[in-house]
Amino acid sequence: MRRSSFLKASGGAMLVMALPRLSAPAAASDVVDYTLTAGPLRYSPVPGLNFPGLAFNGTIPGPLLRIVHGQRLRATFINKSGQGSTIHWHGMILPNKMDGADGVTQAPVRDGGSFVYEFAPDPPGTRWYHDHVSDGLLRGLFGMIVVEDPRDQRADAEFALVFHDVPKMATVAPAMMGVGKAPMTDPPGSPELIQMAPDDKMGDEVAFTAHCINGAAYPNTTRLAVKVGQHVRLRVLNANPTQTRYVRLAGHRLIVTHSDGNPLPRPVEVDALRVGVAERYDAWFEVSAPGSWLLQGLSSDPLAYEQAAIVHTEGMEDAPPMASSQSLDGVDYFTYEKAGGTGGSLSPLRGARYDFTLDDGKYGSSRWTINGKTYPHTPKIYVHRNDIVNVKFLNKTDMDHPMHLHGHVFEVTEIDGVALTSPLAKDTSLVRANGGTLRWRFRADSPAGRWLLHCHNAIHMMDGMMTLVEYV
Ligand code: C2O
Ligand code: CU
């Protein structure tokens, strides 16, 4: 049996949808076809803004792709963006030549060209796709892909939410040259502010001019209609290219079940999510009374209110929504330690060990380095099939680094010297600024090839904080 489904570009509304009934487990021969066409888009999520965006199928973010685990995805990429581009399938274990890593697994698809990505998406969960060549990630070439897990608990309603922000493109080049000056916008009470050292610059690299959820800014964001008694699943992606985002639903606790699409050892209940660049979280809440509440991305940016959507029960669509303050003071937010648990002892290290020091080189922050080198001169990890590899990061810079590995799911085993009782399965994890350490372990059991390992902060990645895991 072969099935086709084509997506229409129909604005942000299609991105927020109830979970379709899961059909019988897919036959392995099922193929789901999507066409993704990249092209320029004049993007105006707020009045007066006319952003020179790039979009898949005419929307920022690109269409929500859904597939059932076991089906094959065939995505025809047509590049009309005006520049070379590839699509990277973030969080997927897939044949190396389908990974979309520019210059590593394929040459960029030229403007006017096309490429067919075909693979069986794995593992299941909330994943995403994005340009992996130049500034496409900053300009809008990203979207979410949900690989439904037929074994998952059924939600009464589900919302797929991409948190993203519109950069001031004029701040990108200075950021890359290490002379960027943008305001720091982490919320009061956030670890980003608490962990600052006295000589930190109180600045960010890139400035943002609008703050969106699924393509729109408040009050134009899509309303999320729920019913009393429902168990609602949120799938949240932080597609901001440089900033961690805190996400909170007023009046509710959130039960976090998945990190980067992978099940947590046990669900964790929190007030707010902490979502690093490129991370995803699945979080559930229960609607216990009628009402209207804001789901918000928290920050100290004066325009932070734009990144909000109303969640309401029937008949409450016009009630003023309950909101949260933009501060994290006293807020119980998600941490890796809460999810993995601490208090155990470190299991003895098996396998190879790599120590990576993340630093910002000699010339301010125009070079973001691993062991003093920028890509492609950084030290590589060479693996044989089934090797166990331990990577320890030490962050000597004054910014967190969301480190990402292509084509694998790794386990976070230790944070700042403290072992996790249950390691966390992830594909992207934040290494804390100012001396923070993080340890990963993974098994080299993915398809052979060359897999990028890099900081997902778009500036740091372009400025060299990247290396490769290579099967030999
Ligand atoms: Cu989502 Cu190489 O990245
Ligand atoms: Cu970084």
Side-chain angles (χ1 to χ4, degrees):
M1 189 180 101
R2 183 171 135 186
R3 282 199 332 206
S4 289
S5 48
F6 291 94
L7 283 170
K8 288 163 279 170
S10 62
M14 64 175 299
L15 296 166
V16 177
M17 52 196 276
L19 180 71
R21 291 229 163 262
L22 291 179
S23 42
S29 57
D30 272 7
V31 176
V32 178
D33 274 300
Y34 284 108
T35 299
L36 292 169
T37 304
L41 175 74
R42 282 283 157 187
Y43 182 52
S44 309
V46 293
L49 179 63
N50 185 14
F51 177 72
L54 293 176
F56 288 119
N57 298 6
T59 68
I60 295 176
L64 171 67
L65 309 185
R66 273 186 185 271
I67 192 159
V68 179
H69 190 232
Q71 291 178 319
R72 284 182 75 77
L73 170 73
R74 185 164 51 212
T76 302
F77 172 41
I78 301 171
N79 184 14
K80 294 183 176 168
S81 69
Q83 58 195 47
S85 180
T86 56
I87 300 180
H88 169 56
W89 304 91
H90 183 123
M92 303 280 188
I93 298 170
L94 74 186
N96 192 239
K97 62 180 195 295
M98 294 293 141
D99 189 49
D102 158 42
V104 176
T105 66
Q106 72 177 113
V109 179
R110 62 177 173 77
D111 181 41
S114 64
F115 187 89
V116 179
Y117 293 94
E118 185 173 344
F119 57 95
D122 184 61
T126 307
R127 319 237 157 227
W128 66 304
Y129 62 95
H130 60 78
D131 167 82
H132 212 297
V133 174
S134 53
D135 61 359
L137 190 52
L138 289 139
R139 291 175 63 190
L141 291 178
F142 53 80
M144 186 186 285
I145 172 166
V146 172
V147 185
E148 285 167 10
D149 187 343
R151 297 163 309 180
D152 268 1
Q153 187 189 330
R154 184 78 55 92
D156 300 317
E158 175 177 316
F159 301 103
L161 303 167
V162 181
F163 284 68
H164 61 109
D165 306 85
V166 181
K168 282 189 181 142
M169 289 307 287
T171 63
V172 172
M176 287 187 62
M177 293 184 307
V179 296
K181 264 206 197 77
M184 192 149 174
T185 58
D186 304 284
S190 64
E192 285 75 10
L193 290 184
I194 291 164
Q195 74 204 8
M196 283 186 63
D199 53 343
D200 287 357
K201 289 189 292 287
M202 270 308 275
D204 238 320
E205 298 161 296
V206 174
F208 295 91
T209 135
H211 308 280
C212 305
I213 300 174
N214 289 356
Y218 190 78
N220 299 318
T221 37
T222 304
R223 283 154 190 252
L224 313 178
V226 296
K227 295 193 175 79
V228 176
Q230 281 187 328
H231 287 88
V232 183
R233 180 181 196 157
L234 304 176
R235 296 179 185 264
V236 172
L237 158 66
N238 177 13
N240 182 296
T242 63
Q243 297 180 340
T244 292
R245 196 56 87 234
Y246 293 84
V247 174
R248 192 172 182 195
L249 173 59
H252 292 79
R253 297 271 282 171
L254 298 171
I255 317 251
V256 187
T257 56
H258 295 70
S259 164
D260 298 344
N262 308 303
L264 292 179
R266 74 194 83 80
V268 185
E269 194 178 316
V270 294
D271 293 328
L273 306 176
R274 180 179 191 230
V275 196
V277 169
E279 286 188 315
R280 289 87 59 214
Y281 286 95
D282 288 43
W284 301 60
F285 64 92
E286 192 182 342
V287 185
S288 51
S292 171
W293 310 273
L294 273 190
L295 178 73
Q296 294 164 271
L298 307 183
S299 86
S300 57
D301 188 308
L303 298 175
Y305 68 87
E306 293 174 348
Q307 199 161 50
I310 292 179
V311 176
H312 67 85
T313 55
E314 243 164 85
M316 298 295 279
E317 27 294 88
D318 296 318
M322 178 193 280
S324 308
S325 88
Q326 300 285 351
S327 166
L328 278 177
D329 278 321
V331 173
D332 174 27
Y333 58 84
F334 179 91
T335 64
Y336 303 157
E337 289 91 334
K338 276 175 197 159
T342 55
S345 59
L346 270 183
S347 50
L349 218 53
R350 290 198 300 131
R353 175 173 171 163
Y354 290 82
D355 284 284
F356 285 162
T357 299
L358 309 175
D359 210 340
D360 47 4
K362 288 188 214 155
Y363 306 106
S365 51
S366 63
R367 297 170 73 240
W368 291 92
T369 61
I370 300 177
N371 293 358
K373 301 278 202 303
T374 56
Y375 186 79
H377 307 292
T378 40
K380 292 189 184 61
I381 295 178
Y382 294 101
V383 296
H384 295 100
R385 174 144 310 278
N386 287 323
D387 279 355
I388 292 175
V389 181
N390 297 272
V391 186
K392 184 176 181 184
F393 298 99
L394 163 63
N395 182 357
K396 289 198 172 168
T397 77
D398 57 10
M399 299 183 77
D400 291 355
H401 297 291
M403 300 305 293
H404 167 51
L405 174 60
H406 286 214
H408 297 73
V409 172
F410 56 76
E411 290 182 322
V412 175
T413 57
E414 186 197 302
I415 299 156
D416 295 334
V418 178
L420 294 185
T421 318
S422 310
L424 296 187
K426 293 180 63 56
D427 57 55
T428 310
S429 60
L430 285 164
V431 188
R432 181 178 63 78
N434 292 317
T437 65
L438 191 83
R439 193 176 274 179
W440 293 352
R441 117 185 126 199
F442 65 91
R443 184 181 286 276
D445 56 3
S446 289
R450 301 198 299 156
W451 302 100
L452 284 174
L453 188 174
H454 62 84
C455 177
H456 218 290
N457 177 310
I459 303 298
H460 303 175
M461 177 183 169
M462 293 190 282
D463 273 347
M465 195 175 271
M466 179 149 85
T467 185
L468 282 172
V469 171
E470 186 164 349
Y471 284 65
V472 292

